[in-house]
Amino acid sequence: MSSPGSLSEPAMKILIHQTRALATDCAASLIAARLNRQPDTVLGLATGGTMEMVYADLIARHRAGKVSFAQATSFNLDEYVGLAGTHRCSYRHYMREKLFDHVDMDPARAFLPQGDAPDAEVEAARYEAAIAAAGDIGLQLLGLGLNGHIGFNEPTSSLSSLTRIKTLTRSTREANARFFDDPKDVPRLAITMGIGTILRAQEVVLLAYGAEKADVVARMIEGPVAAACPASALQMHRKVTIVLDEAAASALELRDYYEQVHPRVENASS
């Protein structure tokens, strides 16, 4: 886990917080700090239930004058194939509802794959090229699927993959069914940034909480780097911060060490 040339700090930083709220506050603080340090940062953004609290926190900070998105660019991780951006279950709709409509993000610099593009493969290639043209992601925000996926990179995904079409596993579709009126309506395909695309980011922040994530968190951090757990590829990243609550950290064998290296600070700033 040591970064090249570093003798004091591991490349994968594990931050364990007492509660879900404190872990969320930490993740939002890392994003806000990056924007305040580099206002024109290219953000990589994620969706899902884990991110709702993060975006609510960032909205509160923005309204308090503590962070601005005005000069930032964003690329979302993924989008369902076949859903127009106006569909209430699309990730474009999610991002408008959960973040973009409430902060000073320039809509012209907020990018997501076009789920209803005439040719999804062409759209995936176009999106990958757009990320590269922007200089790649500055800070990538990630959640963690119960099967170890990041973005929609399901198990068996190539660890060097680029933005492409992925078939969603049954477990992923079942987990996302709660957002749809009928579980049968959950798309089977998605356009997703690849693992290789994610690994090109300058820094990564992954947030996971809850006891249901404990086993996959342990596989991601302490297991072998393998396509069976796509998130394990983050072990190879030069600057990744894993933010956890105590429940999500409960299966880590080296938890005491992580807390020794990075003692918790439980002063929420939002």
Side-chain angles (χ1 to χ4, degrees):
M1 286 190 193
S2 294
S3 58
S6 172
L7 297 177
S8 60
E9 185 172 331
M12 179 176 276
K13 183 184 295 185
I14 315 299
L15 302 180
I16 302 170
H17 295 271
Q18 187 173 13
T19 67
R20 177 179 305 189
L22 289 166
T24 298
D25 178 83
C26 175
S29 293
L30 291 168
I31 297 166
R34 174 77 188 220
L35 286 168
N36 289 333
R37 185 172 67 250
Q38 184 182 346
D40 63 348
T41 289
V42 178
L43 294 172
L45 299 178
T47 54
T50 299
M51 297 304 145
E52 291 185 13
M53 290 174 63
V54 176
Y55 295 145
D57 188 309
L58 288 169
I59 291 167
R61 292 169 192 259
H62 170 70
R63 289 174 175 169
K66 296 179 179 179
V67 68
S68 172
F69 294 79
Q71 298 179 51
T73 297
S74 71
F75 287 90
N76 262 73
L77 279 167
D78 41 39
E79 180 61 281
Y80 290 116
V81 170
L83 294 193
T86 53
H87 192 289
R88 71 174 188 84
C89 292
S90 73
Y91 288 140
R92 184 176 296 276
H93 183 274
Y94 172 104
M95 291 306 303
R96 287 198 303 265
E97 183 180 69
K98 304 300 183 185
L99 182 64
F100 294 154
D101 286 353
H102 309 285
V103 297
D104 56 347
M105 185 80 196
D106 182 351
R109 292 208 296 267
F111 300 104
L112 291 92
Q114 183 183 341
D116 61 346
D119 188 321
E121 291 187 358
V122 170
E123 172 62 9
R126 182 202 66 78
Y127 197 68
E128 177 70 26
I131 294 169
D136 288 326
I137 304 300
L139 184 151
Q140 178 67 59
L141 176 65
L142 296 174
L144 177 64
L146 288 172
N147 63 3
H149 73 243
I150 47 176
F152 274 133
N153 293 286
E154 301 281 26
T156 74
S157 291
S158 166
L159 301 187
S160 62
S161 56
L162 303 180
T163 304
R164 70 215 186 284
I165 312 303
K166 282 297 293 182
T167 300
L168 305 183
T169 63
R170 181 179 291 108
S171 64
T172 295
R173 295 180 69 244
E174 288 174 351
N176 291 349
R178 67 188 187 278
F179 300 112
F180 291 79
D181 292 333
D182 187 336
K184 295 179 181 178
D185 293 337
V186 181
R188 296 180 178 274
L189 301 174
I191 299 173
T192 183
M193 285 189 201
I195 297 173
T197 313
I198 292 168
L199 292 178
R200 293 202 313 267
Q202 292 174 11
E203 64 176 308
V204 174
V205 174
L206 183 146
L207 173 64
Y209 49 68
E212 69 278 8
K213 295 290 178 73
D215 288 343
V216 71
V217 163
R219 291 172 59 206
M220 169 181 65
I221 296 171
E222 298 177 339
V225 175
C229 181
S232 67
L234 295 175
Q235 294 180 32
M236 301 186 295
H237 196 276
R238 61 191 179 277
K239 187 177 182 181
V240 56
T241 303
I242 309 295
V243 184
L244 308 169
D245 70 352
E246 288 192 340
S250 61
L252 291 170
E253 293 186 4
L254 299 177
R255 175 175 171 172
D256 288 346
Y257 172 72
Y258 306 138
E259 294 191 304
Q260 176 185 342
V261 175
H262 300 290
R264 66 176 66 179
V265 177
E266 304 293 25
N267 294 322
S269 59
S270 60

